[in-house]
Amino acid sequence: APPYARCSSLSEFAQRLQSARHVIVLLGAGASVSAGIPDFRSPGTGLYDNLAKYNLPFPEAVFDLDFFVQNPWPFYQLSRELWPGGYSPTAAHHFVKLLHDRQQLLRCYTQNIDSLEALAGLPKDKVVAAHGNFDSAHVVGRDVEVPIELLREATLRGEDATRELNEQYGGLCKPSITFFGEALPKRFGELAPEDFELCDLLVVMGTSLKVQPFACLATFPSVGVPRLLINRDRVGPFHFVSDGDLPIDLVTDVFFQGDCDDGVRELARLAGMLPALES
Ligand code: OAD
C-alpha cells in the first residue's frame, strides 16, 4: 500500500476536505462564466473567438506586450468591456470565501482579472492575482504609477484621450494586468514554493491550464495530496480513476465534469458545508 490514502471520488475528496488545513484553490475564467464574463478559449463563446472587430494578427495579440507597444488601441477598446464593475461573485467564489471563513484556505491563486475574489470577501493576502488586475496602472517599461481612474476615463473617452494620457506620462499607460511577454507579479514566485510545501488539498476550477507558468502550479502539491478538477472539459496533468492508468489505491485525483458552481455545491453538500455555502 502507498504511504498515503487514496482519494478517487468526490465523496472521498469531500471527506478529506473536512480535515484539510491548507487548501489551495486555482481559478480560471470558467469560475466567472456564470457571472456573465466569457472565458477565453471556449469555442464560439470565448473571448478569443470574438475579437474580429479588432483586426488582430492572432487573438492573443490583444494581451501581447510587443503588439500593445505597436498598437495599444485594440487593448484599450477591449479593456472598456473587461473593466471590473457590474459583475457579482459566483458560487465558486463564495465557496473559496467559505474555506477562508473556516480557516482552511491557504491561498487562492487566480488567473482572473475581474477581482471577483475580493468582491466575494477574500482578504488581499489570501489571493495571488497571478495575471494582475485593474487595481493599478503603470507606464510600460518604467517604474511610474498611473492613477487607474485616469486611465479608465481616457479609454472611455477614446483613442485621442489615451494618446494624450500616454504623452503626459511619457510612455504607454497600462493596467497592471500581466501580458504575454511580461513577468508575473513578484508575489507569485515568492509565495508559491512555500504554499505548495504546506498544501494538503488542491482544488482547480474553470481553467484550461494552457497558460504557463500558472498551469504548472497544478503539479506542485506533494505526492499523495488530493487534487480536484472542476471543469467542463478534462484538462491538465491529472490521473483520474476513470483513466485506468493507476492502481486504484494510488489515485489521488478527482474530476467533477461540469460547471464550477455545480461542482462546488456538490462538494459542499458531500462535506456538510452546503447550508453555510447557501447562507
Ligand atoms: P480558458 O478560456 O483558457 O479556459 C477556461 C476553461 O474553463 C475551459 O476548459 C472551459 O471548458 C472551462 N469552463 C468554461 N465555463 C465553465 C464553467 N461555467 N464551469 C466550469 N468550467 C468552465 O481560461 P483560463 O484557463 O482562465 O491570460 O485562461 C488562462 C489565461 O489565458 C487567462 O488568464 C488569460 C488568457 O490569455 C492573460 O490574459 C494574460
Side-chain angles (χ1 to χ4, degrees):
Y4 53 80
R6 93 162 188 235
C7 181
S8 60
S9 67
L10 195 62
S11 49
E12 283 171 345
F13 192 89
Q15 206 169 359
R16 299 288 285 273
L17 173 60
Q18 286 167 321
S19 57
R21 310 277 7 121
H22 302 290
V23 181
I24 294 182
V25 179
L26 307 183
L27 292 183
S32 298
V33 162
S34 67
I37 305 171
D39 70 2
F40 295 91
R41 295 180 179 80
S42 283
T45 57
L47 182 75
Y48 289 148
D49 267 0
N50 292 284
L51 296 173
K53 63 181 166 193
Y54 299 113
N55 267 321
L56 301 164
F58 54 98
E60 291 88 345
V62 78
F63 299 117
D64 186 280
L65 191 65
D66 291 334
F67 182 80
F68 180 72
V69 169
Q70 289 165 33
N71 182 6
W73 183 236
F75 169 75
Y76 286 144
Q77 267 177 295
L78 177 66
S79 72
R80 302 195 279 203
E81 292 167 37
L82 298 179
W83 223 287
Y87 298 105
S88 300
T90 67
H93 297 102
H94 292 307
F95 177 75
V96 184
K97 170 64 163 51
L98 176 59
L99 294 179
H100 169 65
D101 292 343
R102 292 168 50 102
Q103 302 189 330
Q104 293 183 286
L105 182 74
L106 177 57
R107 209 81 63 189
C108 174
Y109 287 76
T110 183
Q111 299 166 92
N112 299 343
I113 55 177
D114 53 34
S115 294
L116 290 185
E117 303 83 9
L119 219 53
L122 276 184
K124 266 194 158 66
D125 67 294
K126 285 288 165 179
V127 180
V128 174
H131 294 165
N133 54 39
F134 286 88
D135 285 359
S136 62
H138 67 280
V139 178
V140 169
R142 293 180 46 203
D143 201 12
V144 176
E145 284 262 338
V146 180
I148 187 75
E149 264 314 303
L150 286 187
L151 180 53
R152 181 185 168 92
E153 280 162 26
T155 57
L156 289 173
R157 275 173 32 231
E159 195 165 1
D160 288 346
T162 58
R163 208 173 287 127
E164 279 162 31
L165 187 71
N166 289 339
E167 274 164 25
Q168 188 188 333
Y169 278 88
L172 286 174
C173 302
K174 175 178 156 300
S176 300
I177 67 176
T178 310
F179 276 26
F180 295 108
E182 285 189 302
L184 270 56
K186 278 206 188 78
R187 229 173 114 63
F188 179 88
E190 284 166 1
L191 291 175
E194 252 178 65
D195 280 359
F196 280 87
E197 194 79 30
L198 288 171
C199 173
D200 58 6
L201 203 88
L202 181 75
V203 180
V204 181
M205 286 195 265
T207 173
S208 61
L209 291 177
K210 285 216 167 114
V211 175
Q212 295 291 359
F214 190 95
C216 69
L217 293 180
T219 68
F220 280 12
S222 305
V223 173
V225 170
R227 302 185 295 185
L228 169 65
L229 173 69
I230 302 176
N231 212 57
R232 283 185 186 163
D233 314 305
R234 194 235 154 98
V235 299
F238 304 101
H239 299 275
F240 303 121
V241 71
S242 55
D243 297 335
D245 59 348
L246 284 179
I248 189 163
D249 281 340
L250 295 180
V251 172
T252 52
D253 293 340
V254 177
F255 185 26
F256 179 94
Q257 183 158 24
D259 284 7
C260 293
D261 294 350
D262 296 335
V264 297
R265 281 198 197 98
E266 183 60 8
L267 175 59
R269 189 183 68 76
L270 291 166
M273 293 160 56
L274 193 56
L277 181 64
E278 291 185 334
S279 70

